[in-house]
Amino acid sequence: MNVLIIIIFFLLTFFLKNSSWGNAGLADGTALGVGFILIVAFLFGKIITRWKLPMISGFIIGGALCGPYILKLISVQQVKNLQLLDGLALSLIALTAGGELKLRQLRRRFKGIAAITFSQTIFLIIGFVLFVFLAKSLFSFLPDNNFSQILAFSLLLGVLAVATSPSTTIAIITETRAKGDLTDLVLSITIIKDVLVIILFALFLSFARFLTFPRHTFDVSFLLDLLRDIGGSFLFGGIIGAGIIFYLKYIKAEITLFILGISFFSYQISYYFNFHPLLICMVAGFLVENFSAQGEGLINAIENSSLPIYVIFFAISGASLNLNILQNTWTVALLIVVLRASFKFLGTYLGARFSGEEINIQRLSWMGFISQAGVALGMAIIIERTFPQWGAQFKALILAVIAINQIIGPILLQRIIFQAGEAGKKEI
Amino acid sequence: MKAILAFGILLFIAYLGAQGLFSKKKILSPVNYFFISGLIYIVFGVLLGKNVLNVLSPEVLTEFRPLVGLGLGWIGFLFGFQLELRYIRQFPLKYIGFSWLHSLFSFLSVTLVFWLVLGIAFPAHSSFLLTGLAISLGIIASISSSSFIPLVSPLIRKGEYYRLARFSTSIDDFWGLWGIALVTCFWHYPFFKQRVFLNGLLLFFGSLIFCFLLSLIFHLLTRSTSDSKELLVLLLGMVFFVSGAAVYFNLSPIFINMVLGLVFSRLTKHHEKVYPIFISTEKPFYIIFLILIGALWDINFNLKILILTFIFVVFRMISYSFSLPLIEKLLKFPFSLPPVFGLSFLSQGGVGIALAIHFKMAYPLPLTDILVSIALFGILINEILAPWGLRISLVKLEREGLPIKVQE
């Protein structure tokens, strides 16, 4: 039945969009696109669960199928027009992510978290530097025998490989209602790495500029800007968190509306002051969870309305996947994906073993760090603008890598949650 | 600084939303009702919009356009879904006749007056356009708030006038929405150059078939699920899709969603699952919708608008009141309908506002901004007058105990 309804929706949308009376110059069909993508992606999610795959993979595949690169029922402009919903969804997911981080857990697992994060980061950066130097013929767009440029490229590729998508991680954890040591560890490391990647990226970008452009000095003044952005995000996240605590404690009513308003406000203000929207909301969620009795109320309020948010967010991310690029670069992209997964395995395994984590975590948890999305994409765009010689090719390659990782990442994460027996353990 | 101020406003809005919206306390004070009915959120929208703080700037509002479409559709779907035949059948047929004639008279008189006045005020514009504008104002005038009378229910005696007023206000939007569907089909923008009637009919019946088909699909989709989160996704998706299709074809999302809700309500057996979703989402949606309307409103205030708003309010009031003796005679009503009873219907509520904003979206013309200003100022004034009107009409009539129980 679901397949039949999807076909009817495809035909209806195709007919509507091609009707001569449609689009009288007033509407671009964005609302039509939202409705279409919500229903179709949701039905894809439902269908895919029959094969024991996560719903969000269905949302992503549904979005990609309807998007501008396959069936073209949603245009690039419409995908761009949905950025506000995308931003709102991201803020809400980040609030949940922060709210899921328990200070008690972080303290208890500090050694494991630090060791795995450190080990993964080192393995990925060094691994990719070595790979690029050994296989530089694969990257024909890099100038021959130019050590500096090859080093700059490899460092940036390495730092991008470290990033894991917190939104995908939190969506899978919510969908599977997972609770347990492995879940906590994967989530904590993913969130901490997100902050770490932002810092490392700024550092490496400045170094890469110094290597690539002869007149550019290795200027550390960017550290001050970084400090301001990250410090501001923390500070503002603190203020937002305090606001949420106050509201949940004393006013209590219309929590959904309030949370939506706060998310919108955080998203807007982050652009105004150049803060990190994800960081603001994570800090706010973390504060509410760990420094008040209102954490559960916040998470419940968000989770009650989380399904439409996830459907829209992941369907848009599916529609944004540039599949034309994947078609052209899939061999190199696939190689990078395999290497990244291997380095993640090595880094995670050794880090977990060193810190004395249990055998399940040593062997399985690397699969929880494969997904990639917004942060890596944002960084690829900055690289494209900064390095005109090879930035565009770099971005294209990263987009292809993200496309593959975003399809296999959620599936792997769901698999390890089930294997570890942590699915369905969280009470609603 | 602007953002901090906006944050403060946001907190205050949420606080007010939590405290006052649709509460039944002190409803008979005009100032309180302005807060309780939610119209204060339009003022907040104006403050946050481009005219004052510009937090909801035109660029941000462009991104919010799908949400405005959703808000319009949500209001229509909600109305259609809640319009139950079982409820309507509890009332005498004369009550349905009353509601229809009452709306019709106010529509005709306001349309006629504005058809004459607009021709004088804007002689340079085409008569086709001015007629459409007059009809639109007439339709907005013919609608009254369905939530106002239930809100005051604890405060007055529930006799036959109360029953009649409550019934009439709960279904008179239905007539208005059919009117709006006809306007958007036959005055379809950009205006048909030829075969206006045939093309209008095609659009009208095409949209009805579309609604029936989607209602059936929606029913099939919701039949197999009982999870409230999944129902919310499907409900949002369907209302977005239908509203989006309506906006894309420049038709009325309110009407098309009303039909969707009406048909779906007849087909589904899951009312008890769908209602809680509405209840939990109704207030937040309505508040966000009103704020967006305030922000979208290009406030156009000059002497001409002032006079036209005055005409709108006064003629609506006159037609609502002085049509009553005529309706009483035409329907051979079993009890008297004094003109003062018409003042019970002054409040216009959300559907009137939604129609005004629909016109703004569907007809991007300078005259539309004038229509929106007349309608919104008129609605705001009517909301302020509504508690006063109610005190001197329904409350008084019921206190006097007239009429004695109707013989059906």
Side-chain angles (χ1 to χ4, degrees), chain A residues 347-392:
Chain A
T348 311
Y349 179 76
L350 291 175
R353 200 182 161 93
F354 169 78
S355 57
E357 290 288 347
E358 60 182 83
I359 195 83
N360 242 358
I361 288 175
Q362 288 179 28
R363 282 162 54 181
L364 298 176
S365 58
W366 66 276
M367 286 190 263
F369 304 109
I370 300 298
S371 62
Q372 261 190 316
V375 173
L377 181 66
M379 289 171 181
I381 292 167
I382 296 172
I383 291 168
E384 182 191 24
R385 285 187 205 137
T386 316
F387 305 99
Q389 284 172 292
W390 43 263

Side-chain angles (χ1 to χ4, degrees), chain B residues 75-84 257-259 261-263 265-266:
Chain B
I75 289 175
F77 187 87
L78 200 63
F79 179 74
F81 190 76
Q82 289 177 324
L83 199 66
E84 289 192 39
N257 274 287
M258 178 194 77
V259 179
L262 203 64
V263 180
S265 176
R266 300 287 90 75

Side-chain angles (χ1 to χ4, degrees), chain A residues 389-408:
Chain A
Q389 284 172 292
W390 43 263
Q393 291 91 333
F394 182 94
K395 187 187 136 196
L397 193 62
I398 291 299
L399 285 179
V401 171
I402 291 174
I404 301 170
N405 280 330
Q406 197 54 355
I407 288 168
I408 60 168

Side-chain angles (χ1 to χ4, degrees), chain B residues 330-395:
Chain B
L330 279 172
L331 294 175
K332 297 189 176 66
F333 230 69
F335 53 90
S336 71
L337 298 172
V340 73
F341 179 50
L343 298 178
S344 315
F345 300 85
L346 292 184
S347 175
Q348 290 202 261
V351 176
I353 296 165
L355 290 187
I357 218 69
H358 162 64
F359 280 117
K360 181 175 169 61
M361 288 173 75
Y363 300 93
L365 303 161
L367 267 184
T368 319
D369 281 334
I370 292 169
L371 174 138
V372 172
S373 287
I374 297 168
L376 288 183
F377 279 127
I379 290 169
L380 291 176
I381 293 169
N382 279 327
E383 295 307 314
I384 293 169
L385 294 176
W388 161 79
L390 195 84
R391 265 205 312 274
I392 64 164
S393 60
L394 196 59
V395 175

Side-chain angles (χ1 to χ4, degrees), chain B residues 100-156:
Chain B
W100 185 71
L101 282 175
H102 205 204
S103 289
L104 183 71
F105 282 130
S106 57
F107 161 72
L108 289 175
S109 46
V110 172
T111 301
L112 188 68
V113 168
F114 270 94
W115 184 64
L116 295 168
V117 171
L118 289 174
I120 299 163
F122 305 102
H125 290 83
S126 79
S127 63
F128 180 71
L129 183 62
L130 292 177
T131 308
L133 209 67
I135 290 175
S136 306
L137 280 167
I139 290 169
I140 294 171
S142 74
I143 280 169
S144 50
S145 167
S146 56
S147 58
F148 183 52
I149 306 285
L151 274 175
V152 297
S153 59
L155 308 170
I156 56 173

Side-chain angles (χ1 to χ4, degrees), chain A residues 1-69:
Chain A
M1 179 58 77
N2 286 347
V3 176
L4 182 71
I5 292 175
I6 288 176
I7 294 169
I8 294 173
F9 264 93
F10 274 126
L11 291 175
L12 260 178
T13 308
F14 181 79
F15 167 75
L16 291 174
K17 294 209 120 184
N18 290 292
S19 163
S20 58
W21 281 359
N23 196 2
L26 307 173
D28 54 11
T30 304
L32 182 72
V34 177
F36 173 69
I37 212 167
L38 250 173
I39 290 178
V40 171
F42 173 71
L43 293 179
F44 264 98
K46 290 283 277 184
I47 292 168
I48 215 164
T49 50
R50 287 182 204 156
W51 296 299
K52 295 197 164 62
L53 294 172
M55 274 182 109
I56 73 155
S57 296
F59 305 156
I60 294 168
I61 293 167
L65 201 62
C66 306
Y69 303 103

Side-chain angles (χ1 to χ4, degrees), chain B residues 396-408:
Chain B
K396 201 171 163 205
L397 286 168
E398 287 294 2
R399 201 166 43 224
E400 287 167 2
L402 284 172
I404 302 157
K405 193 81 181 152
V406 187
Q407 300 298 311
E408 288 174 23

Side-chain angles (χ1 to χ4, degrees), chain A residues 124-125 128-129 131-132 139 151-162 204 336 340 372 383 390 394 397-398 401:
Chain A
L124 281 159
I125 293 172
F128 271 104
V129 170
F131 163 67
V132 173
F139 308 102
L151 182 63
F153 175 84
S154 61
L155 282 172
L156 291 169
L157 189 63
V159 80
L160 256 70
V162 176
F204 283 24
I336 292 176
R340 179 174 174 266
Q372 261 190 316
I383 291 168
W390 43 263
F394 182 94
L397 193 62
I398 291 299
V401 171

